[in-house]
Amino acid sequence: MQLSVIIVNYNVKHFLEQCLCSVQKAIEHMQAEIIVVDNNSTDNSLSYLQPKFPAVKFIANKENTGFAKGCNQGLAIATGAYVLFLNPDTVVPEDCFQKCISFFELQPLAGAVGVKMLDGSGKFLKESKRAFPSPFTSLYKLFGLSKLFPRSKSFSRYHLGHLDENQINEIDVLAGAFMMIKKEVLDKVGSFDETFFMYGEDVDLSYRIQKAGYKNFYFPETQILHFKGESTRKGSMNYVRMFYNAMRLFVRKHYTGTRAGFFNFLIYTAIWIRAGLSAIGHFISRIGLPLLDAALILLSFLIMKWVWGTWIRPETEFEERLVRIAFPAYTLFFLLTAYYAGLYDRWYKRKELINSMLVATIILLAGYALLPEHLRFSRGILLFGSMLAFVFISLFRWILISTGVLQRQKEKEEGGTTMIAATAAEYGVVTELIKQAGLKEKILGRIAVTDDDKNATGSLSNLISLSGSIPFKELIFCQGKMSFSTIINTLPQLPVGITAMFHASGSQSIVGSDSKDSSGESVSNENGFNLSSPYNQRLKRLIDIVVSIAGLLTFPLHLFIVKKPISFFSNCFSVLAASKTWVGYATDEKHLPQLRPGIVGCNGTKLLTPSSFPVESLKMVDYWYARDYEPSGDIKIIWKMYRHLGG
C-alpha cells in the first residue's frame, strides 16, 4: 500500500463529505486507503457518510477521545508506506498526494511534509509554516509584535513570516491539518502523544521527527483548502484553556531549566490575559449585551428628555415619579420586542438590528397611544429617544465587531445574489439542493467552466469583468467537469466582496467559510427545518412561558380538570426553567433540530407510554414537525392534550 489517509471527525459531516470526495479523486491512480475515525459525533455522521463511501474504513468511538488518540487508532490499522493525517474540514486537489510523494523521493532526509493551506476565502493560512515555540517567539506573539512586523525574522518567527509562502523551505512545525509522514519515521519516533487532547500534538511530533535526524518541509507546490473555523472556536474559554495547556505540556516535556521556567511564566501570563478577555467577551455576547443595550436605551430616553425640556418644550414639566417608572418600563418593553424581532440571535446582522429597532419603536408608540392621558408625557421623546438609541446601539455593535467580541454574519441580499460555476447538469443538481434546503435565494445565473460553453451567462476566464456587470455576492463552485485543483487555484482570484461555496459531484451538501476565524456554513436538505429558525425557536419558547405562567396563575382550576395536577404544577416550573418544553419529539432522533424533553409528543400523544405506531412512523412525524413547524401547531397540540399536561 502506497498511502494511508487518516481523518478524525467530530460533528462536521458535510465538510467531511466534501473532503472525502476530494480525497477519493486524489487517490484514483494510487494504491491507497482512507480511514475515518469518528469521535462519537452527534450529528449523525456515520449513518450519513457510510452508505456514500463504502470503500472508506470507518472507526466509531463511543466517546470523544481527542485528535491525537483518534489519529493513533487510524495509524494502528494503516498499511501505507506513507501516512497522511488530514483534517475533515479540508479539500485537496487531484495531484496533491502524488506531488508530495514525489518530493519525498527527491529528499531522502525528508521525514514529514506539509503543504500550502488556504482558508475558505482563498487567503493564505500562516499556520502552514511555523517555528518551534520559544520564550521570545511566544512573547512577540502575545504582545502583537508578530502582527505589527509580519515579515520580521525575529518578531514574526512563530509563523516564519520572513520565508516566502511560495517557496519550498525546511521548517520546524507542520500543521496537523495536513501532515504526510513516512511510515518508517513514525515507527522510529512514535506516533502522536495522547497526553495532548487537542492542539500541540503536531508541534510535539514535528519536534521528535527533527530530533531523530529527519527534516520537516514546507511544500507549497500544491495547496489545499482548510476551512479551519469548523474545528476552532478561538473566542471560547475552552479554546484558550486547551491551546495554552498544550503549550505548557510541550514545554514541560522538551524544555528544562531557566528557559522552561521563563516560558511557563509567559504561558500562564497569556492564559490569564486571554482567559480574562475571553470571559469579558463571553459575558458581553451572551449575558451582558441586553443589559448594556438597556443602559444605552435608558440613556437615550434621558438625553432626549433633557433636550426636549431644555430646547424644544421648556415650558413642559415632567412628573419625576412618572418618568422614573415609565422610562425603565419602556426600556424593558423595547428590549423584549427587539429580542423577539431577532436582535439577540447568535450572529450579528445589520438588517436584524434595523428591523428589531423599527418594530420595537412602532410597538412602543402604539402601546403609548393606548395609555390613559394622565400617563402620557411626550410622544416626541419616545420617537427621538428610540432613534438616538439606534445610533448608540449601532455604534456599540461596531465596536464589538471591531474588537472581535461579536461576529457579523454574512448578509445576503434579498432575492439572492448567487452565481453557480457549473455545467448545465450540475447547475440543475445544485439549484434543486438549494430548493430542498428551504433557502429563498434567487440564483442569478450560471458561469460556464469551459470557454466552449456558450449557453451560460459568462465563463470563469472572464470572472472579473463578469462581477463588474452582474451584482452577485456569492459564487458556488461545482466540482465535476471542473477539477478540485482548478477550484482551489481560482479561489484567490475572486474579486473582493464575493464569497465562495463548494459542492463536490455526488455529494448532497454545499459548504464554505468566509475566514479562518469564523464558523463555516453548510447547506443541505437538513437546512429545510422551520424549527431551526431562531425566530420560530423564540416563539416556541414564548408559547412555553405564556402557557406555564397561565397555568400557575389559574392553578386551582386545573385540580378538577387535569390528570395528575401536582405533576402539571411541577411541569410548569420545569418549562419556565427551560429544562422541558410542552411539545417535544415523539422519539429521540439526534439529527433533527435540538429540543428540550417534551411533556407531550408532537404526534399529539403522551410521552413515555407505549405507542401503537411503529418507531419509523414516529420518526417521520418528528421529521414533519421539525420541517413544517408552525407556532400555532404547538398551541393546537397543547389545547388538545390539555388534560394530559401533567404527564
Side-chain angles (χ1 to χ4, degrees):
M1 187 72 69
Q2 192 176 16
L3 176 68
S4 297
V5 182
I6 299 172
I7 304 170
V8 177
N9 172 63
Y10 182 68
N11 287 335
V12 287
K13 67 180 180 184
H14 293 129
F15 284 84
L16 178 55
E17 180 183 22
Q18 303 301 313
C19 175
L20 290 175
C21 287
S22 70
V23 171
Q24 284 190 332
K25 279 288 182 182
I27 65 172
E28 272 187 354
H29 304 294
M30 302 174 63
Q31 289 185 326
E33 62 183 352
I34 307 171
I35 302 168
V36 172
V37 181
D38 184 76
N39 266 336
N40 196 30
S41 295
T42 58
D43 66 348
N44 211 31
S45 286
L46 290 179
S47 60
Y48 177 80
L49 293 169
Q50 281 181 309
K52 296 176 183 291
F53 302 97
V56 175
K57 299 176 184 178
F58 287 91
I59 298 175
N61 286 331
K62 299 298 184 182
E63 60 181 354
N64 185 0
T65 60
F67 177 77
K69 190 169 184 177
C71 286
N72 290 345
Q73 284 180 273
L75 182 62
I77 64 170
T79 59
Y82 296 91
V83 176
L84 171 65
F85 298 105
L86 184 69
N87 266 29
D89 51 355
T90 56
V91 172
V92 301
E94 288 79 359
D95 59 356
C96 178
F97 303 156
Q98 288 284 13
K99 282 187 174 182
C100 289
I101 291 174
S102 296
F103 178 76
F104 269 113
E105 293 171 349
L106 294 173
Q107 294 285 345
L109 289 179
V113 166
V115 299
K116 182 178 181 179
M117 298 189 298
L118 308 177
D119 68 14
S121 64
K123 295 183 178 66
F124 173 67
L125 286 171
K126 295 184 293 183
E127 294 83 357
S128 302
K129 49 184 176 66
R130 285 179 291 167
F132 288 127
S134 70
F136 285 105
T137 56
S138 300
L139 188 68
Y140 299 149
K141 188 174 187 296
L142 175 62
F143 289 103
L145 294 174
S146 58
K147 287 187 177 181
L148 290 175
F149 306 100
R151 298 292 180 187
S152 169
K153 188 173 182 179
S154 298
F155 295 136
S156 191
R157 177 163 176 76
Y158 184 78
H159 287 125
L160 300 173
H162 63 287
L163 297 182
D164 191 331
E165 67 188 55
N166 296 311
Q167 289 185 359
I168 299 173
N169 277 290
E170 182 183 344
I171 60 172
D172 291 334
V173 179
L174 301 176
F178 186 107
M179 293 183 76
M180 186 177 287
I181 308 172
K182 288 179 180 177
K183 181 66 159 57
E184 64 185 63
V185 173
L186 288 169
D187 291 338
K188 182 176 180 179
V189 306
S191 54
F192 285 111
D193 184 343
E194 295 179 10
T195 308
F196 297 89
F197 181 83
M198 188 176 182
Y199 308 116
E201 62 284 304
D202 50 359
V203 181
D204 174 71
L205 183 54
S206 297
Y207 187 87
R208 286 187 279 122
I209 290 172
Q210 266 199 14
K211 285 296 182 182
Y214 298 98
K215 295 182 178 181
N216 298 320
F217 280 95
Y218 168 66
F219 181 65
E221 293 187 6
T222 184
Q223 54 188 9
I224 70 169
L225 296 185
H226 181 204
F227 297 105
K228 195 173 182 348
E230 283 310 290
S231 55
T232 305
R233 301 290 184 269
K234 286 197 169 182
S236 69
M237 289 286 287
N238 195 41
Y239 166 81
V240 172
R241 180 182 59 81
M242 286 196 299
F243 180 81
Y244 286 104
N245 185 56
M247 295 281 283
R248 183 181 58 81
L249 288 173
F250 179 81
V251 171
R252 187 175 67 185
K253 182 175 179 180
H254 297 293
Y255 295 159
T256 58
T258 306
R259 191 183 186 200
F262 182 44
F263 206 164
N264 273 319
F265 169 75
L266 290 177
I267 288 174
Y268 282 109
T269 301
I271 289 174
W272 282 106
I273 293 174
R274 290 293 299 273
L277 293 174
S278 180
I280 292 171
H282 183 80
F283 172 78
I284 291 176
S285 62
R286 296 299 177 88
I287 304 170
L289 194 56
L291 296 178
L292 294 170
D293 284 349
L296 291 175
I297 294 168
L298 187 59
L299 176 64
S300 301
F301 286 147
L302 291 173
I303 289 175
M304 286 313 304
K305 171 184 172 291
W306 175 78
V307 171
W308 208 260
T310 304
W311 304 100
I312 300 175
R313 294 284 181 86
E315 72 280 0
T316 305
E317 292 186 9
F318 300 103
E319 187 180 342
E320 287 300 321
R321 182 178 60 85
L322 179 61
V323 170
R324 283 198 302 270
I325 296 173
F327 279 4
Y330 290 157
T331 299
L332 179 61
F333 185 77
F334 202 100
L335 280 178
L336 287 173
T337 307
Y339 168 76
Y340 282 102
L343 184 58
Y344 299 105
D345 287 348
R346 178 185 175 190
W347 300 101
Y348 168 67
K349 293 179 283 188
R350 190 193 307 272
K351 182 178 68 176
E352 295 298 343
L353 174 61
I354 295 173
N355 289 345
S356 60
M357 298 297 282
L358 182 62
V359 169
T361 301
I362 292 173
I363 293 179
L364 184 61
L365 289 172
Y368 173 83
L370 298 175
L371 291 175
E373 186 68 32
H374 68 280
L375 294 179
R376 302 182 200 173
F377 51 88
S378 175
R379 199 178 295 112
I381 291 178
L382 291 184
L383 175 60
F384 290 106
S386 299
M387 293 171 64
L388 184 60
F390 172 74
V391 173
F392 283 160
I393 291 177
S394 296
L395 180 61
F396 183 48
R397 290 299 189 276
W398 176 79
I399 294 172
L400 295 180
I401 292 289
S402 301
T403 54
V405 175
L406 288 183
Q407 290 186 8
R408 185 194 301 273
Q409 187 184 47
K410 177 176 61 179
E411 297 190 35
K412 299 179 181 179
E413 296 178 16
E414 286 296 324
T417 57
T418 300
M419 295 287 285
I420 301 175
T423 65
E426 293 162 353
Y427 177 83
V429 170
V430 170
T431 52
E432 180 61 26
L433 180 57
I434 291 173
K435 180 180 177 182
Q436 291 176 3
L439 302 183
K440 305 190 182 301
E441 295 181 52
K442 175 185 173 185
I443 309 302
L444 299 183
R446 179 173 70 87
I447 296 178
V449 297
T450 57
D451 290 335
D452 59 352
D453 185 350
K454 305 300 182 184
N455 296 320
T457 306
S459 66
L460 280 179
S461 59
N462 64 354
L463 185 60
I464 294 179
S465 60
L466 189 65
S467 66
S469 57
I470 299 177
F472 66 96
K473 297 297 182 185
E474 180 181 82
L475 177 59
I476 300 176
F477 288 98
C478 292
Q479 179 275 330
K481 181 72 174 180
M482 181 168 45
S483 67
F484 285 109
S485 179
T486 300
I487 294 173
I488 295 171
N489 291 333
T490 303
L491 192 59
Q493 304 169 25
L494 277 182
V496 176
I498 295 178
T499 59
M501 299 285 285
F502 309 89
H503 170 76
S505 176
S507 69
Q508 296 297 314
S509 60
I510 305 169
V511 303
S513 176
D514 287 348
S515 77
K516 67 183 180 68
D517 296 323
S518 62
S519 177
E521 176 185 5
S522 63
V523 174
S524 72
N525 54 16
E526 295 177 5
N527 291 82
F529 291 119
N530 285 350
L531 192 55
S532 296
S533 163
Y535 176 75
N536 281 332
Q537 289 176 358
R538 285 193 297 271
L539 288 182
K540 181 174 178 61
R541 180 63 184 147
L542 180 62
I543 291 171
D544 280 350
I545 291 171
V546 170
V547 171
S548 299
I549 292 175
L552 292 173
L553 292 176
T554 58
F555 179 68
L557 176 67
H558 310 303
L559 290 171
F560 308 100
I561 304 175
V562 177
K563 295 181 179 180
K564 300 182 180 179
I566 303 302
S567 295
F568 170 73
F569 187 71
S570 174
N571 285 340
C572 288
F573 282 108
S574 296
V575 173
L576 281 176
S579 61
K580 291 183 180 180
T581 182
W582 287 115
V583 182
Y585 293 132
T587 65
D588 60 351
E589 271 296 293
K590 294 181 179 179
H591 72 279
L592 296 176
Q594 189 173 0
L595 274 185
R596 300 174 181 88
I599 308 296
V600 296
C602 59
N603 58 334
T605 61
K606 293 181 288 182
L607 294 176
L608 303 178
T609 56
S611 174
S612 59
F613 295 101
V615 173
E616 289 304 316
S617 297
L618 293 176
K619 287 182 178 180
M620 187 57 67
V621 171
D622 286 344
Y623 173 81
W624 288 333
Y625 175 75
R627 187 193 67 182
D628 304 324
Y629 178 78
E630 291 287 343
S632 59
D634 273 10
I635 297 173
K636 291 177 183 177
I637 293 173
I638 291 171
W639 178 255
K640 174 186 173 183
M641 297 296 296
Y642 166 60
R643 297 191 66 227
H644 303 284
L645 293 182

